[in-house]
Amino acid sequence: MASRVSISLLIFSICLLFFVSSLSMISAEESESKESETKEFVLTLDHSNFSDTISKHKFIVVEFYAPWCGHCKKLAPEYEKAASVLSSHDPPVVLAKVDCNEEENRAIVSEYDIRGFPTIKILRNGGKNIQEYKGPREADGIVDYLKKQSGPASAEIKTVEDASGLIEDKKIVVVGVFPKFSGEEFENFLALAEKLRSDNEFGHTSDAKLLPRGESSVTGPFVRLFKPFDELFVDSKDFNVEALEKFVEDSSVPTITEFNKDPSNHPFVIKFFNSPNAKAMLFLNFTGEVVDAFRSKYREVAEKYKSEGISFLLGDVEASQGAFQYFGLREDQVPLIVIQTNDGQKYLKSNLEPDHIAPWVKEYKDGNVSPYKKSEPIPEQNNEPVKVVVAETLQDYVNSDKNSVYYDYSWCFILYFAISYEKDPDVVIAKLDATANDIPNDTFEVKGYPTLYFKSASGKISQYDEDRTKEAIIAFIEKNRDKTEKQEATKDEL
């Protein structure tokens, strides 16, 4: 009997021990889960630790953000989730952030030329190499992009499967073919891959037979660029790094960039707008019956002029509403073509026929087309304390003998001090909608809203960047305005 009791007590003790142990394990798991929920994987950097942290990492990603920025708020949970996943990568990929709204961090903002939020940069080799992040803004995409960016700049292609996994139908891929992975040509190729890896995928192989397009019996060394447009691939045997870079950049731009709702075209649209060339843009209804005729004639023109400093884009009206708003275009002008030059001048031909394209572009090249100016209609009445200025009337105000203040529509406060000058015949307070009117950049530079400029009667133009109070603005006007003889006489009497 005593033996049975002892065995029962032993079994009970073991069960109790197992139960307590299980509770401990559950408690530990819950604690670990809660800790992971509260732990921040994104490093917070500021003026006190930025330089030291960057110098310690061969690869680190930094988001420059502002707390009030809506895009930053949307990115924050995705960025944190990506940081959590990448912290377990081998080796770990570190994600960090800098609050650009903090006064102490302004030197960092200036050093890294941050002009918008959020801006993400990849810093390599202790910050010696800086690369713009050009990947997705959702967690899974951030993870995939940064895994590739943190690995080798060029992936070795050993099998047909490796090649098909790298070379896709809708992106640019640059592959070097070498008899051996050493020597000056190979080193120059790797240097190119490191420099351009944010924009293109790179691979290298010793067997051209593994590649999906082009001559397969060649042994190299040569570089083959695969692309989803025009001739689909192009080769080069010039291994000078600068020549290679020019080869990739020139070959990566379609003869005609297509702008529609297909996201795979967006990288090429970005390249188009970043080009230093003049930009020709033909806008059509892609579902129209004449689209094929336009495509054919437009390609003929693009082939002729692409080496003469003009890049060409074909845009679907449905996908181009932002461009229509920017240029001040209307759908009843379609089919239409716009050419914009680097100095901001725009040239327009609306209601085109396919046969109009070539002669009009020739007229533009010959300097026989007048610039187009986006402008709101001239107001029929303009009797309010704040005068309305449009692009067509701006020069009249600039050339007038009045002291004038110009500002953007979005700021209603101006009315308070405009009333103060309502009866002063020598001061004009005017407003100009910079989003609806073309403004000469050499006269007025608008980087944000509201922007205020003051023009004295003698023609001196200066930007106002002091306090936005009625008293401060009036004091500025009085200090900078050209005084009339009557005002000077009154001042002397006082």
Side-chain angles (χ1 to χ4, degrees), residues 209-279:
K209 294 184 179 67
L210 302 176
L211 304 179
R213 305 171 210 156
E215 175 59 46
S216 62
S217 62
V218 291
T219 57
F222 70 91
V223 175
R224 178 165 293 168
L225 183 144
F226 297 89
K227 51 185 177 176
F229 48 79
D230 298 341
E231 65 271 49
L232 299 183
F233 74 91
V234 60
D235 292 346
S236 174
K237 294 185 177 182
D238 189 341
F239 279 89
N240 174 277
V241 175
E242 290 183 1
L244 274 176
E245 185 174 357
K246 188 174 189 306
F247 163 71
V248 172
E249 291 184 353
D250 290 348
S251 303
S252 298
V253 179
T255 301
I256 297 176
T257 300
E258 191 148 313
F259 184 33
N260 54 22
K261 291 187 176 181
D262 184 351
S264 65
N265 286 334
H266 292 174
F268 307 116
V269 174
I270 292 171
K271 285 187 177 184
F272 171 84
F273 283 107
N274 286 339
S275 166
N277 292 340
K279 297 164 183 64

Side-chain angles (χ1 to χ4, degrees), residues 347-406:
Y347 302 84
L348 170 69
K349 176 72 173 177
S350 60
N351 304 120
L352 282 168
E353 296 291 339
D355 290 335
H356 293 166
I357 300 173
W360 185 82
V361 173
K362 184 179 185 303
E363 285 184 33
Y364 158 77
K365 287 291 291 181
D366 292 343
N368 296 326
V369 178
S370 299
Y372 157 77
K373 185 184 294 184
K374 178 176 70 173
S375 178
E376 292 181 296
I378 298 174
E380 294 182 4
Q381 295 186 354
N382 212 358
N383 301 322
E384 298 299 321
V386 180
K387 308 304 178 188
V388 175
V389 180
V390 298
E392 293 290 352
T393 61
L394 177 59
Q395 203 58 42
D396 295 336
Y397 281 85
V398 171
N399 294 336
S400 73
D401 58 355
K402 304 291 184 183
N403 298 282
S404 307
V405 176
Y406 307 100

Side-chain angles (χ1 to χ4, degrees), residues 180-191:
K180 57 181 181 178
F181 298 147
S182 61
E184 183 180 358
E185 289 94 345
F186 183 66
E187 293 302 322
N188 285 358
F189 177 79
L190 292 183

Side-chain angles (χ1 to χ4, degrees), residues 9 76 353 481:
L9 285 173
E353 296 291 339
R481 68 181 290 181

Side-chain angles (χ1 to χ4, degrees), residues 28 76 115 205 245-246 299 321 355 358 406-407 432 485:
R115 300 186 180 184
T205 185
E245 185 174 357
K246 188 174 189 306
R299 177 164 286 278
Q321 293 306 304
D355 290 335
Y406 307 100
Y407 81 104
L432 172 66
E485 293 182 5

Side-chain angles (χ1 to χ4, degrees), residues 97-129:
K97 62 183 178 181
V98 175
D99 183 350
C100 299
N101 211 45
E102 292 292 334
E103 188 66 35
E104 296 90 345
N105 297 334
R106 295 297 170 88
I108 301 172
V109 174
S110 177
E111 179 183 355
Y112 285 84
D113 194 26
I114 306 303
R115 300 186 180 184
F117 306 113
T119 294
I120 304 175
K121 293 183 182 282
I122 297 173
L123 280 59
R124 302 176 187 272
N125 302 319
K128 294 177 182 177
N129 303 108

Side-chain angles (χ1 to χ4, degrees), residues 78-336:
E78 300 295 323
Y79 195 64
E80 178 64 35
K81 183 179 177 183
S84 171
V85 175
L86 290 168
S87 67
S88 301
H89 185 256
D90 185 19
V93 177
V94 179
L95 273 60
K97 62 183 178 181
V98 175
D99 183 350
C100 299
N101 211 45
E102 292 292 334
E103 188 66 35
E104 296 90 345
N105 297 334
R106 295 297 170 88
I108 301 172
V109 174
S110 177
E111 179 183 355
Y112 285 84
D113 194 26
I114 306 303
R115 300 186 180 184
F117 306 113
T119 294
I120 304 175
K121 293 183 182 282
I122 297 173
L123 280 59
R124 302 176 187 272
N125 302 319
K128 294 177 182 177
N129 303 108
I130 302 170
Q131 169 192 325
E132 295 290 333
Y133 174 90
K134 298 181 179 179
R137 296 297 177 96
E138 41 78 28
D140 291 343
I142 294 171
V143 170
D144 290 342
Y145 183 86
L146 291 178
K147 280 182 178 179
K148 290 180 179 179
Q149 291 298 313
S150 63
S154 178
E156 184 179 354
I157 298 172
K158 299 178 181 179
T159 65
V160 171
E161 289 73 25
D162 289 344
S164 60
L166 179 67
I167 303 166
E168 298 177 7
D169 290 338
K170 293 188 176 183
K171 65 181 182 180
I172 301 289
V173 181
V174 186
V175 177
V177 179
F178 304 92
K180 57 181 181 178
F181 298 147
S182 61
E184 183 180 358
E185 289 94 345
F186 183 66
E187 293 302 322
N188 285 358
F189 177 79
L190 292 183
L192 173 79
E194 190 66 50
K195 186 173 183 179
L196 301 183
R197 65 185 297 167
S198 64
D199 292 311
N200 304 287
E201 302 255 6
F202 286 84
H204 57 274
T205 185
S206 58
D207 188 356
K209 294 184 179 67
L210 302 176
L211 304 179
R213 305 171 210 156
E215 175 59 46
S216 62
S217 62
V218 291
T219 57
F222 70 91
V223 175
R224 178 165 293 168
L225 183 144
F226 297 89
K227 51 185 177 176
F229 48 79
D230 298 341
E231 65 271 49
L232 299 183
F233 74 91
V234 60
D235 292 346
S236 174
K237 294 185 177 182
D238 189 341
F239 279 89
N240 174 277
V241 175
E242 290 183 1
L244 274 176
E245 185 174 357
K246 188 174 189 306
F247 163 71
V248 172
E249 291 184 353
D250 290 348
S251 303
S252 298
V253 179
T255 301
I256 297 176
T257 300
E258 191 148 313
F259 184 33
N260 54 22
K261 291 187 176 181
D262 184 351
S264 65
N265 286 334
H266 292 174
F268 307 116
V269 174
I270 292 171
K271 285 187 177 184
F272 171 84
F273 283 107
N274 286 339
S275 166
N277 292 340
K279 297 164 183 64
M281 293 158 277
L282 174 63
F283 294 103
L284 297 172
N285 182 348
F286 277 17
T287 60
E289 296 178 357
V290 296
V291 66
D292 289 338
F294 272 101
R295 284 181 187 274
S296 176
K297 294 293 183 181
Y298 195 48
R299 177 164 286 278
E300 291 177 10
V301 173
E303 292 282 0
K304 181 177 180 179
Y305 290 103
K306 67 179 182 179
S307 61
E308 297 186 26
I310 306 179
S311 297
F312 292 83
L313 177 142
L314 181 63
D316 180 22
V317 171
E318 186 180 356
S320 305
Q321 293 306 304
F324 271 56
Q325 183 178 357
Y326 174 79
F327 289 112
L329 307 175
R330 305 185 312 275
E331 290 194 24
D332 62 8
Q333 295 175 298
V334 174
L336 65 86

